[in-house]
Amino acid sequence: MPLPTETGQAHFETIYREEAARVLATLIRLLGSFDLAEEVTQEAFTIALQQWPIEGLPANPRAWLISTARHKALDLIRRRASFADKQTELVHFLLPCEHEAPAQEAAMLQAEQPIEDDLLRLIFTCCHPALSQETQVALTLRTLCSLDTEQIARAFLVPVATMQQRIVRAKQKIRDAGIPYRVPSHGDLPQRISAVALTVYLVFNEGYTHNNREFAAEAIRLARLLHRLMPAEAELTGLLALLLLQDSRAAARLSTEGDLVLLQEQDRSLWNRTQIDEGLVLVEEALRQGPPGPYALQSAIAALHAQAQTASATDWPQIAALYTLLYRQQATPIIELNRAAAIAMAYGEEAGLRLLAEIEERGDLKCYGHFYAAKGELLRRLNRRDEAAAAYERALGLVCSKEEQRFLRKRLAELE
């Protein structure tokens, strides 16, 4: 039965959000080509957008989309001379779909799921150890998590053009090396945990920073599944704890006007106590499970914030010490920046500014707006107004979030 236009559009959008990544990943595995899979996935959804409002939703939309996309791939391969040398192999692979009923397709998909959740299974699949971890994560974020190249480049602090080249080279390597896209066995999962956890963390970070609640919620859901899959892994326990504790502050992070509110200035009664209580239990569990890794340490820092009744009661010396431990494990500029901010809170703005000066001299964060925002904040507290304004101006030219831009303009207005 045809669907009313508005209802059909709503169903289509829901199915697109829930199924696009899963359809694409299945087609990548079947076709062995990212580019071809992306092209026919888009074509299948375009056809669905035209047909479903008239003919009604199919019984199994995902199977319908995969079957339609496979047929489109077969048509494209037949038409393109450049694919001539691969035509025999791919046509042989694709032809069975012409005789498969949707029910058979659905049964085939169901049988391919040794990991409970489709999307998590596909993330494990894409985090192939033949690629560098950074490439695994970038490719997975682009292909399966619906982040565009600009968002991924922002997460890795590299220019968009650089990230585009990395993703293209990764696709070429997979194609040229014939890397198979099959679900890893349980024995292969541990070596992929690090990349999978980083992928989930970056999806959350993108959602939290840019107030995309859908991204943040999906990342927490995936983190729960990871923890359930490997409950003895301290880093996965720490990851879930970290995301819950950070997300617990979401309602207080923006004012009613949509302006960014710093952690120290937030109304703590708006923090989600259910998430905090769950997160604190998980932090203790992660610390008991073994020597704390980066996620366990970050969750411990988040726990100290969550336990403080007021901003002034925050145990900044302990937070600074935890950041020092974290920096010894992961000597990244971002962690160095966070450590400098914590030291400023614990031991004074001048101490923090000295560490920021070292980072600035190296140029590691010259394109990172949060660095200049942090510098401006410390200078403002010291009443070094002109220097603070210059730092805020620099930050304003680098941040992308509208909430952060409004916050910086407000700070600049206060300095005039």
Side-chain angles (χ1 to χ4, degrees), residues 22 31 48 61 89 121 153 170 212 216 223 270 297 304 311 391 413:
R22 293 164 180 159
L31 302 174
E89 178 186 355
R121 177 176 64 89
N212 185 328
L270 297 176
L297 286 173
L304 289 170

Side-chain angles (χ1 to χ4, degrees), residues 360-396:
E360 192 165 20
E361 187 175 350
R362 294 198 304 271
D364 292 336
L365 296 176
K366 63 183 179 182
C367 297
Y368 191 57
H370 291 182
F371 171 84
Y372 295 100
K375 180 180 176 181
E377 190 65 17
L378 297 186
L379 291 166
R380 184 186 70 86
R381 292 178 191 174
L382 292 171
N383 203 29
R384 292 161 62 175
R385 302 171 71 89
D386 290 345
E387 294 170 89
Y392 283 135
E393 288 281 6
R394 184 76 179 270
L396 187 58

Side-chain angles (χ1 to χ4, degrees), residues 193-206:
I193 283 177
S194 178
V196 171
L198 180 57
T199 300
V200 172
Y201 176 74
L202 292 177
V203 170
F204 175 84
N205 206 36
E206 178 68 22

